[in-house]
Amino acid sequence: MELLKNLLLVLHLLGWAVVLGGVLVTMREPKIPNGALHGALTALVTGILMVGVVEMGDLYDPNHVKIAVKLVVALAVTALVVVGVRKPEKVTTGYLGAIAGLTVVNVAVAALWR
């Protein structure tokens, strides 16, 4: 179970890296990058699966408040990316900044909240 959780963690972090990297690269020409939707969905799904694996395997007791905060932020990022893909005319530099900022907040919550 530990190996599965670690593999999901790697995929989770790669998903967030795709979102953050893609958004930062396209800040000058505001548009949602091609991989941002896939990265956000990958991060969202692998995060949910990680919690399930931890709960199933009794690896440790997860902090459910932290998980709830991360889930809300991940849903917000995913929603912003989906809206940006469907309505590209709404995408501005500030819009991309919100996606990048929320992505950094999600990673910071994971790393700093014990």
Side-chain angles (χ1 to χ4, degrees), residues 73-98:
V73 173
L75 287 171
V77 170
T78 305
L80 285 171
V81 171
V82 168
V83 168
V85 167
R86 289 188 179 175
K87 298 182 181 178
E89 68 277 0
K90 290 191 174 205
V91 178
T92 63
T93 303
Y95 193 90
L96 294 175

Side-chain angles (χ1 to χ4, degrees), residues 4-63:
L4 179 58
K5 183 199 74 100
N6 289 337
L7 289 173
L8 288 170
L9 177 62
V10 169
L11 290 173
H12 184 71
L13 293 174
L14 287 173
W16 286 127
V18 167
V19 173
L20 184 61
V23 165
L24 291 178
V25 166
T26 61
M27 288 287 259
R28 287 188 185 204
E29 251 182 61
K31 66 175 187 166
I32 298 293
N34 292 333
L37 180 60
H38 297 291
L41 292 173
T42 297
L44 183 64
V45 170
T46 55
I48 292 168
L49 289 174
M50 263 194 300
V51 173
V53 167
V54 167
E55 289 281 354
M56 254 185 350
D58 279 335
L59 299 176
Y60 56 87
D61 288 330
N63 183 342

